[in-house]
Amino acid sequence: MTGWRGRTPAAFFLGSTALLAAGAIAAARGADELSRGTWAVATVLGLALSLLWTARSILARRTTVDVIALGGALWVGEQFAGAMVTVMLASGRLLEARASARADRELRLLVERTPRTARRRDRDGVARIPVEQVAVGDVLVVGTGEVVPVDARALTAGTFDESALTGEPMPVDRPVGDDVRSGVVNAAAPVDLVATSTADESTYAHVVRLVEQAQAASSPFVRTADRFAALLVPLTLAVAAVAWAVAGSPDRAVAVLVVATPCPLLLAAPVAIMSGLSRASRIGVVVKGGAALEALAAGEVVLFDKTGTLTRGRPELTSVVLAAEPPRAGSGSPATSPVPYAVSRAVTSDELVRLAASLDQVSPHPLASALVRAARSRGLALELPTGVREVPGHGLEGRVGGVAVRLGKAAWVVGTGDPAWLRRARRRAALDGCLTVFAAVDGRPAGAFLLEDPIRPDAPRMVAALRRAGIRRTVLLTGDRAEVAESVGRIVGTDAVLADHDPAEKLAAVHEESATARTVMVGDGVNDAPALAAAGVGVALAARGATASSEAADVVLSVDRVDAVADAILIARRSRRIAVQAVVVGMGLSLVAMLVATAGLLPAAAGAVLQEGIDVLAIGIALRALLPSRLHSVPMSPSDVATAARLRPAHDAAAAVVEQVRDVADGLRTHDCDLGPVRALLDRLERELVPHERADEEELMPVVARALGSSATTTMSRTHAEIEHQVARLRRLLEGLDDAEAPDGAAEVPAGDVTELRRLLYGLYAVCRLHNQQEEEGAFALVPAPSGSPPSAHESR
């Protein structure tokens, strides 16, 4: 019986639609009696179910217009209108039923991810048991890639992916004695843990309960027509009663009821909302029903998760710090070089990336893919490593083309020393919030890789667009550290930053914001699910796969672009505005018709025809929501998209050249200055960077101008010229130093010239870094992303 009740809305919708279609076919063949009879059956079906639902609505202290609409249609013989009202009633009930069942679906992925078993170690070995049997004090074994079943304490050191709880994509090292929460994934070798809680009391079970509690407090789906029913029902009855009393005949009252049929409410408003849903789906935004669209349109405060929402959600290589420059000619062998920790041979930045990426090709570590992507973006040829060995808690080592390569933590790669390059790498990591991976070549330290989770290039424009659209407050809400969160919030432009928030604290923050304004929460991880469910409307980024957040959300972005949030809000607001216009025009004309019918100037037959015209007009207004409108995303022609895609690889490759500028500047010494690396850098700048900037000016800037207007290219064009100017200055400075240098190259470079050279390089580096971000945000971020794009101060390995 319960199953049948669950299927009743769908059966009602299919049955009423079939009856409406059958009546239309009969009318087309001239069988008027049959068509009217068929439509009357549909109207009676709707009236019967409407009476039942009206009784329930009265008990719930809600008024509906369904009974009066259907009863009036039967009374005046408007069978077709009654059948149409029945179909719209059925579709509304079907949407309501689907929305009310959403709570079960929202928990599905959370429950599926919940561990069902655990491996317990005892005197007889390791046995798999139901997770409910785990007791406090049990020793558990968690293998690579397995989910920690209960809260526990580490008995052996391990590395864990805690993104399901914190949203932070970077793996976290847990030494012996550290607490490990349930729901996190073991990202390294198997570890032993001692349980500190039972399954029911664990962190992950608490997250599931938070979603349940938040959804229990959510408002139910309410149809647009019901919002006006409280005024429409008594008004219609009162006007009909007055008309009857004045005329002394029910005919005039019937005429009033005919023109008072609330089709603009039951038809036009849902059409506008459904058109908005369709419009949103075309840009990769799935809105789960009209109520979600209306809530999105009404949003005043938007809260963003950080990782995977405002940032890409995956680490990327941002810089390479070399342990030492290649030894100068005549300066002695590397073994006797005065530079501490000199490598056994000259290793450039690109060569070190190539060696590390070749080794990391076979590593399952979360950071390995970042180095492989960096090598491929630089066009480096990778080799398959041999003799690969992973040392849990330390790193990875193997041979690449006969060269021994080691990657991992500083203590394992560098040893106990504290050379200048190591301090420099750690200082940069602390300032930029980066992770560090250290590398050794042939048994000697070679350098360090700095990785960070970069900000999405479309995020700053999106936040600005939300502000222009009327959103009065934006908040960054994250579980990450305050210094990292504040840096992201500052760059993106949010009004407030709330950092170090776990799922429960995120939920509390959403409740606090919701107390004073209608909220929109945007996130992508399991840890965001409670906040998404509690907000006025939840928006989930799901381009990289379904998660509990996409199930808990009201709106799901299937494109890997956060600026689709701004487009979705603009579409929602326009659809709601058009729905209101359709209702106001339709019901306004109906009200005028009611007054005319009350005066006896509009008979029932003419009123029925007029009412149909009003319905058609209202629906026509509502269908405007399907028409294209101006969005935040800028449409680009296929040729412009192709041009930007063709220039993108050179843009990515230029980043390595820019990083070399800082590396060379760092390596300049006031005494015994070697200009060889500077000359090599200048040659690369003139061969790669300057031609790239000229190509961007000639080809990319026209693309941006066509998309955003010519004023949008002014700053980028100016930096193109500045970069070329600074490279020309570098050449003139080097030529002046070459003229003063002795033929054998032994002349000392004046300290003032070294300072000027270092100042010029650092200035060029700053301009290039800023310019690259300008092109990311102002040019390449405009290119539409395909649906379902692939995923894209700490030490870690």
Side-chain angles (χ1 to χ4, degrees), residues 513-566:
E513 293 287 346
S514 299
T516 57
R518 284 166 286 197
T519 54
V520 178
M521 176 69 197
V522 186
D524 77 320
V526 171
N527 62 304
D528 301 318
L532 290 171
V537 58
V539 180
L541 279 76
R544 299 178 185 174
T547 64
S549 64
S550 62
E551 289 292 318
D554 305 287
V555 180
V556 178
L557 307 185
S558 60
V559 291
D560 195 18
R561 295 179 63 96
V562 73
D563 61 357
V565 174

Tab-separated table of all heavy atoms in Angstrom, residues 513-566:
chain	number	residue	atom	x	y	z
A	513	GLU	N	23.805	32.933	9.384
A	513	GLU	CA	23.557	33.809	8.237
A	513	GLU	C	22.093	33.741	7.810
A	513	GLU	O	21.501	34.752	7.411
A	513	GLU	CB	24.462	33.408	7.065
A	513	GLU	CG	25.945	33.645	7.300
A	513	GLU	CD	26.319	35.115	7.243
A	513	GLU	OE1	25.505	35.931	6.759
A	513	GLU	OE2	27.430	35.461	7.701
A	514	SER	N	21.496	32.546	7.901
A	514	SER	CA	20.106	32.372	7.471
A	514	SER	C	19.122	33.072	8.391
A	514	SER	O	17.976	33.321	7.994
A	514	SER	CB	19.770	30.872	7.387
A	514	SER	OG	20.597	30.216	6.457
A	515	ALA	N	19.554	33.395	9.603
A	515	ALA	CA	18.651	34.072	10.539
A	515	ALA	C	18.340	35.493	10.114
A	515	ALA	O	17.303	36.062	10.509
A	515	ALA	CB	19.269	34.063	11.940
A	516	THR	N	19.197	36.100	9.298
A	516	THR	CA	19.001	37.499	8.901
A	516	THR	C	18.835	37.682	7.401
A	516	THR	O	18.518	38.782	6.958
A	516	THR	CB	20.198	38.344	9.368
A	516	THR	OG1	21.420	37.810	8.822
A	516	THR	CG2	20.291	38.339	10.892
A	517	ALA	N	19.073	36.633	6.614
A	517	ALA	CA	18.975	36.778	5.154
A	517	ALA	C	18.771	35.409	4.524
A	517	ALA	O	19.032	34.374	5.144
A	517	ALA	CB	20.248	37.430	4.591
A	518	ARG	N	18.293	35.405	3.289
A	518	ARG	CA	18.135	34.164	2.546
A	518	ARG	C	19.489	33.761	1.963
A	518	ARG	O	20.151	34.573	1.314
A	518	ARG	CB	17.087	34.340	1.445
A	518	ARG	CG	15.666	34.327	2.004
A	518	ARG	CD	14.658	34.833	1.008
A	518	ARG	NE	14.755	36.289	0.857
A	518	ARG	CZ	13.812	37.039	0.312
A	518	ARG	NH1	12.697	36.470	-0.131
A	518	ARG	NH2	13.967	38.334	0.190
A	519	THR	N	19.877	32.518	2.200
A	519	THR	CA	21.255	32.096	1.941
A	519	THR	C	21.349	31.121	0.772
A	519	THR	O	20.432	30.358	0.482
A	519	THR	CB	21.864	31.433	3.186
A	519	THR	OG1	21.006	30.365	3.612
A	519	THR	CG2	22.016	32.435	4.308
A	520	VAL	N	22.514	31.157	0.140
A	520	VAL	CA	22.912	30.194	-0.886
A	520	VAL	C	24.274	29.655	-0.475
A	520	VAL	O	25.205	30.423	-0.250
A	520	VAL	CB	23.008	30.849	-2.280
A	520	VAL	CG1	23.466	29.826	-3.313
A	520	VAL	CG2	21.677	31.462	-2.686
A	521	MET	N	24.394	28.333	-0.352
A	521	MET	CA	25.659	27.702	0.017
A	521	MET	C	26.210	26.956	-1.189
A	521	MET	O	25.497	26.177	-1.823
A	521	MET	CB	25.453	26.727	1.188
A	521	MET	CG	26.700	25.942	1.576
A	521	MET	SD	27.990	26.969	2.316
A	521	MET	CE	29.427	25.898	2.160
A	522	VAL	N	27.484	27.191	-1.511
A	522	VAL	CA	28.123	26.565	-2.666
A	522	VAL	C	29.287	25.709	-2.159
A	522	VAL	O	30.174	26.216	-1.459
A	522	VAL	CB	28.647	27.616	-3.668
A	522	VAL	CG1	29.176	26.926	-4.921
A	522	VAL	CG2	27.553	28.613	-4.023
A	523	GLY	N	29.288	24.418	-2.484
A	523	GLY	CA	30.353	23.529	-2.039
A	523	GLY	C	30.466	22.323	-2.937
A	523	GLY	O	29.717	22.174	-3.905
A	524	ASP	N	31.412	21.419	-2.589
A	524	ASP	CA	31.600	20.255	-3.454
A	524	ASP	C	31.966	18.980	-2.708
A	524	ASP	O	32.103	17.929	-3.329
A	524	ASP	CB	32.698	20.536	-4.490
A	524	ASP	CG	34.097	20.434	-3.902
A	524	ASP	OD1	34.283	20.886	-2.759
A	524	ASP	OD2	34.992	19.906	-4.583
A	525	GLY	N	32.132	19.013	-1.403
A	525	GLY	CA	32.611	17.841	-0.681
A	525	GLY	C	31.591	17.286	0.292
A	525	GLY	O	30.557	17.893	0.578
A	526	VAL	N	31.882	16.076	0.792
A	526	VAL	CA	31.014	15.459	1.789
A	526	VAL	C	30.879	16.358	3.005
A	526	VAL	O	29.811	16.466	3.614
A	526	VAL	CB	31.574	14.077	2.196
A	526	VAL	CG1	30.813	13.510	3.372
A	526	VAL	CG2	31.508	13.118	1.018
A	527	ASN	N	31.975	17.042	3.357
A	527	ASN	CA	31.929	17.911	4.530
A	527	ASN	C	31.003	19.098	4.331
A	527	ASN	O	30.609	19.747	5.288
A	527	ASN	CB	33.341	18.413	4.867
A	527	ASN	CG	33.925	19.239	3.732
A	527	ASN	OD1	34.019	18.778	2.603
A	527	ASN	ND2	34.314	20.461	4.036
A	528	ASP	N	30.639	19.402	3.070
A	528	ASP	CA	29.727	20.518	2.804
A	528	ASP	C	28.269	20.089	2.836
A	528	ASP	O	27.376	20.948	2.810
A	528	ASP	CB	30.024	21.131	1.427
A	528	ASP	CG	31.444	21.652	1.319
A	528	ASP	OD1	31.912	22.267	2.297
A	528	ASP	OD2	32.080	21.439	0.274
A	529	ALA	N	27.982	18.786	2.849
A	529	ALA	CA	26.610	18.307	2.715
A	529	ALA	C	25.667	18.866	3.781
A	529	ALA	O	24.558	19.305	3.447
A	529	ALA	CB	26.587	16.778	2.725
A	530	PRO	N	26.032	18.882	5.077
A	530	PRO	CA	25.105	19.455	6.055
A	530	PRO	C	24.799	20.930	5.794
A	530	PRO	O	23.653	21.360	5.894
A	530	PRO	CB	25.844	19.266	7.396
A	530	PRO	CG	26.791	18.144	7.146
A	530	PRO	CD	27.225	18.291	5.731
A	531	ALA	N	25.820	21.716	5.449
A	531	ALA	CA	25.605	23.137	5.186
A	531	ALA	C	24.765	23.345	3.936
A	531	ALA	O	23.903	24.243	3.889
A	531	ALA	CB	26.958	23.850	5.039
A	532	LEU	N	24.975	22.516	2.911
A	532	LEU	CA	24.178	22.627	1.686
A	532	LEU	C	22.713	22.335	1.975
A	532	LEU	O	21.812	22.987	1.422
A	532	LEU	CB	24.704	21.654	0.627
A	532	LEU	CG	26.063	21.974	0.010
A	532	LEU	CD1	26.538	20.814	-0.851
A	532	LEU	CD2	25.998	23.243	-0.820
A	533	ALA	N	22.458	21.345	2.817
A	533	ALA	CA	21.084	20.992	3.130
A	533	ALA	C	20.401	22.039	4.015
A	533	ALA	O	19.187	22.230	3.937
A	533	ALA	CB	21.040	19.632	3.827
A	534	ALA	N	21.177	22.727	4.838
A	534	ALA	CA	20.596	23.689	5.774
A	534	ALA	C	20.358	25.055	5.158
A	534	ALA	O	19.495	25.805	5.615
A	534	ALA	CB	21.518	23.836	6.991
A	535	ALA	N	21.109	25.415	4.124
A	535	ALA	CA	20.972	26.732	3.511
A	535	ALA	C	19.632	26.857	2.790
A	535	ALA	O	18.960	25.854	2.509
A	535	ALA	CB	22.124	26.983	2.537
A	536	GLY	N	19.260	28.107	2.471
A	536	GLY	CA	18.038	28.320	1.711
A	536	GLY	C	18.060	27.550	0.410
A	536	GLY	O	17.052	26.993	-0.024
A	537	VAL	N	19.222	27.502	-0.215
A	537	VAL	CA	19.431	26.664	-1.399
A	537	VAL	C	20.895	26.255	-1.419
A	537	VAL	O	21.784	27.061	-1.154
A	537	VAL	CB	19.037	27.414	-2.697
A	537	VAL	CG1	19.826	28.690	-2.862
A	537	VAL	CG2	19.230	26.536	-3.923
A	538	GLY	N	21.140	24.973	-1.688
A	538	GLY	CA	22.495	24.453	-1.767
A	538	GLY	C	22.913	24.250	-3.204
A	538	GLY	O	22.126	23.737	-4.011
A	539	VAL	N	24.140	24.648	-3.537
A	539	VAL	CA	24.676	24.511	-4.887
A	539	VAL	C	25.937	23.657	-4.799
A	539	VAL	O	26.859	23.992	-4.054
A	539	VAL	CB	25.006	25.880	-5.517
A	539	VAL	CG1	25.565	25.703	-6.927
A	539	VAL	CG2	23.774	26.774	-5.536
A	540	ALA	N	25.976	22.558	-5.554
A	540	ALA	CA	27.117	21.638	-5.504
A	540	ALA	C	27.812	21.594	-6.847
A	540	ALA	O	27.161	21.560	-7.895
A	540	ALA	CB	26.657	20.238	-5.111
A	541	LEU	N	29.152	21.604	-6.823
A	541	LEU	CA	29.955	21.385	-8.025
A	541	LEU	C	30.193	19.891	-8.151
A	541	LEU	O	30.818	19.291	-7.280
A	541	LEU	CB	31.282	22.127	-7.946
A	541	LEU	CG	31.253	23.623	-8.290
A	541	LEU	CD1	30.649	24.438	-7.141
A	541	LEU	CD2	32.653	24.123	-8.592
A	542	ALA	N	29.694	19.298	-9.228
A	542	ALA	CA	29.763	17.844	-9.357
A	542	ALA	C	30.356	17.411	-10.682
A	542	ALA	O	30.120	16.304	-11.139
A	542	ALA	CB	28.367	17.241	-9.200
A	543	ALA	N	31.147	18.281	-11.326
A	543	ALA	CA	31.706	17.926	-12.626
A	543	ALA	C	32.694	16.776	-12.525
A	543	ALA	O	32.928	16.070	-13.504
A	543	ALA	CB	32.391	19.143	-13.259
A	544	ARG	N	33.286	16.566	-11.345
A	544	ARG	CA	34.291	15.510	-11.183
A	544	ARG	C	33.710	14.253	-10.569
A	544	ARG	O	34.425	13.396	-10.095
A	544	ARG	CB	35.455	16.023	-10.337
A	544	ARG	CG	36.155	17.200	-10.984
A	544	ARG	CD	37.270	17.735	-10.118
A	544	ARG	NE	37.848	18.935	-10.702
A	544	ARG	CZ	38.758	19.671	-10.111
A	544	ARG	NH1	39.219	19.334	-8.925
A	544	ARG	NH2	39.229	20.745	-10.693
A	545	GLY	N	32.396	14.146	-10.549
A	545	GLY	CA	31.763	12.945	-10.032
A	545	GLY	C	30.760	13.261	-8.949
A	545	GLY	O	30.842	14.278	-8.271
A	546	ALA	N	29.778	12.372	-8.794
A	546	ALA	CA	28.721	12.574	-7.807
A	546	ALA	C	29.263	12.368	-6.403
A	546	ALA	O	30.057	11.484	-6.141
A	546	ALA	CB	27.574	11.597	-8.075
A	547	THR	N	28.829	13.208	-5.499
A	547	THR	CA	29.192	13.082	-4.094
A	547	THR	C	27.946	13.313	-3.268
A	547	THR	O	26.881	13.639	-3.783
A	547	THR	CB	30.251	14.125	-3.691
A	547	THR	OG1	29.676	15.433	-3.825
A	547	THR	CG2	31.484	14.027	-4.579
A	548	ALA	N	28.103	13.151	-1.946
A	548	ALA	CA	26.974	13.420	-1.069
A	548	ALA	C	26.543	14.871	-1.178
A	548	ALA	O	25.374	15.193	-0.987
A	548	ALA	CB	27.355	13.075	0.378
A	549	SER	N	27.474	15.773	-1.481
A	549	SER	CA	27.102	17.183	-1.604
A	549	SER	C	26.149	17.399	-2.762
A	549	SER	O	25.202	18.185	-2.657
A	549	SER	CB	28.363	18.044	-1.791
A	549	SER	OG	29.008	17.729	-3.006
A	550	SER	N	26.349	16.707	-3.888
A	550	SER	CA	25.453	16.885	-5.024
A	550	SER	C	24.082	16.301	-4.737
A	550	SER	O	23.079	16.764	-5.279
A	550	SER	CB	26.046	16.237	-6.281
A	550	SER	OG	26.211	14.851	-6.114
A	551	GLU	N	24.020	15.283	-3.888
A	551	GLU	CA	22.725	14.736	-3.506
A	551	GLU	C	22.011	15.658	-2.525
A	551	GLU	O	20.793	15.784	-2.546
A	551	GLU	CB	22.910	13.341	-2.888
A	551	GLU	CG	23.312	12.271	-3.889
A	551	GLU	CD	22.209	11.961	-4.870
A	551	GLU	OE1	21.047	11.871	-4.466
A	551	GLU	OE2	22.506	11.835	-6.070
A	552	ALA	N	22.760	16.300	-1.640
A	552	ALA	CA	22.147	17.179	-0.647
A	552	ALA	C	21.788	18.532	-1.223
A	552	ALA	O	20.990	19.255	-0.645
A	552	ALA	CB	23.097	17.360	0.545
A	553	ALA	N	22.364	18.883	-2.364
A	553	ALA	CA	22.167	20.215	-2.931
A	553	ALA	C	20.855	20.314	-3.695
A	553	ALA	O	20.303	19.326	-4.174
A	553	ALA	CB	23.329	20.564	-3.852
A	554	ASP	N	20.359	21.543	-3.816
A	554	ASP	CA	19.186	21.834	-4.630
A	554	ASP	C	19.572	22.136	-6.071
A	554	ASP	O	18.766	22.001	-6.981
A	554	ASP	CB	18.436	23.042	-4.055
A	554	ASP	CG	18.076	22.843	-2.599
A	554	ASP	OD1	17.168	22.042	-2.331
A	554	ASP	OD2	18.707	23.482	-1.732
A	555	VAL	N	20.823	22.592	-6.269
A	555	VAL	CA	21.334	22.953	-7.585
A	555	VAL	C	22.676	22.267	-7.761
A	555	VAL	O	23.519	22.297	-6.865
A	555	VAL	CB	21.496	24.489	-7.722
A	555	VAL	CG1	22.029	24.850	-9.103
A	555	VAL	CG2	20.181	25.199	-7.454
A	556	VAL	N	22.890	21.631	-8.918
A	556	VAL	CA	24.130	20.905	-9.190
A	556	VAL	C	24.755	21.448	-10.469
A	556	VAL	O	24.076	21.546	-11.497
A	556	VAL	CB	23.882	19.392	-9.338
A	556	VAL	CG1	25.175	18.665	-9.664
A	556	VAL	CG2	23.266	18.827	-8.070
A	557	LEU	N	26.030	21.834	-10.388
A	557	LEU	CA	26.761	22.309	-11.556
A	557	LEU	C	27.482	21.124	-12.183
A	557	LEU	O	28.350	20.527	-11.553
A	557	LEU	CB	27.773	23.389	-11.167
A	557	LEU	CG	27.243	24.586	-10.364
A	557	LEU	CD1	28.352	25.613	-10.184
A	557	LEU	CD2	26.046	25.212	-11.037
A	558	SER	N	27.129	20.797	-13.425
A	558	SER	CA	27.771	19.675	-14.107
A	558	SER	C	28.970	20.129	-14.929
A	558	SER	O	29.615	19.311	-15.582
A	558	SER	CB	26.769	18.963	-15.022
A	558	SER	OG	26.255	19.848	-15.997
A	559	VAL	N	29.257	21.431	-14.926
A	559	VAL	CA	30.453	21.960	-15.582
A	559	VAL	C	31.453	22.345	-14.498
A	559	VAL	O	31.074	22.765	-13.408
A	559	VAL	CB	30.120	23.183	-16.466
A	559	VAL	CG1	29.309	22.767	-17.670
A	559	VAL	CG2	29.370	24.250	-15.672
A	560	ASP	N	32.730	22.209	-14.823
A	560	ASP	CA	33.782	22.481	-13.837
A	560	ASP	C	34.136	23.967	-13.851
A	560	ASP	O	35.286	24.348	-14.055
A	560	ASP	CB	35.010	21.624	-14.143
A	560	ASP	CG	35.986	21.588	-12.974
A	560	ASP	OD1	35.567	21.925	-11.847
A	560	ASP	OD2	37.156	21.245	-13.182
A	561	ARG	N	33.119	24.795	-13.632
A	561	ARG	CA	33.302	26.243	-13.609
A	561	ARG	C	32.416	26.802	-12.507
A	561	ARG	O	31.194	26.613	-12.521
A	561	ARG	CB	32.907	26.883	-14.939
A	561	ARG	CG	33.763	26.505	-16.121
A	561	ARG	CD	33.252	27.180	-17.375
A	561	ARG	NE	33.343	28.634	-17.257
A	561	ARG	CZ	34.352	29.351	-17.737
A	561	ARG	NH1	35.361	28.752	-18.327
A	561	ARG	NH2	34.365	30.650	-17.608
A	562	VAL	N	33.011	27.541	-11.584
A	562	VAL	CA	32.223	28.092	-10.496
A	562	VAL	C	31.438	29.325	-10.947
A	562	VAL	O	30.461	29.710	-10.300
A	562	VAL	CB	33.141	28.420	-9.294
A	562	VAL	CG1	34.000	29.653	-9.576
A	562	VAL	CG2	32.329	28.606	-8.018
A	563	ASP	N	31.834	29.958	-12.068
A	563	ASP	CA	31.082	31.129	-12.506
A	563	ASP	C	29.698	30.769	-13.016
A	563	ASP	O	28.863	31.651	-13.242
A	563	ASP	CB	31.856	31.931	-13.555
A	563	ASP	CG	32.148	31.135	-14.816
A	563	ASP	OD1	31.800	29.942	-14.857
A	563	ASP	OD2	32.733	31.722	-15.750
A	564	ALA	N	29.421	29.471	-13.182
A	564	ALA	CA	28.058	29.059	-13.516
A	564	ALA	C	27.083	29.396	-12.389
A	564	ALA	O	25.868	29.467	-12.623
A	564	ALA	CB	28.021	27.565	-13.814
A	565	VAL	N	27.588	29.603	-11.170
A	565	VAL	CA	26.727	30.018	-10.060
A	565	VAL	C	26.079	31.367	-10.376
A	565	VAL	O	24.872	31.566	-10.165
A	565	VAL	CB	27.529	30.101	-8.747
A	565	VAL	CG1	26.666	30.674	-7.626
A	565	VAL	CG2	28.050	28.733	-8.357
A	566	ALA	N	26.874	32.303	-10.882
A	566	ALA	CA	26.331	33.615	-11.233
A	566	ALA	C	25.304	33.498	-12.344
A	566	ALA	O	24.249	34.142	-12.303
A	566	ALA	CB	27.463	34.562	-11.647
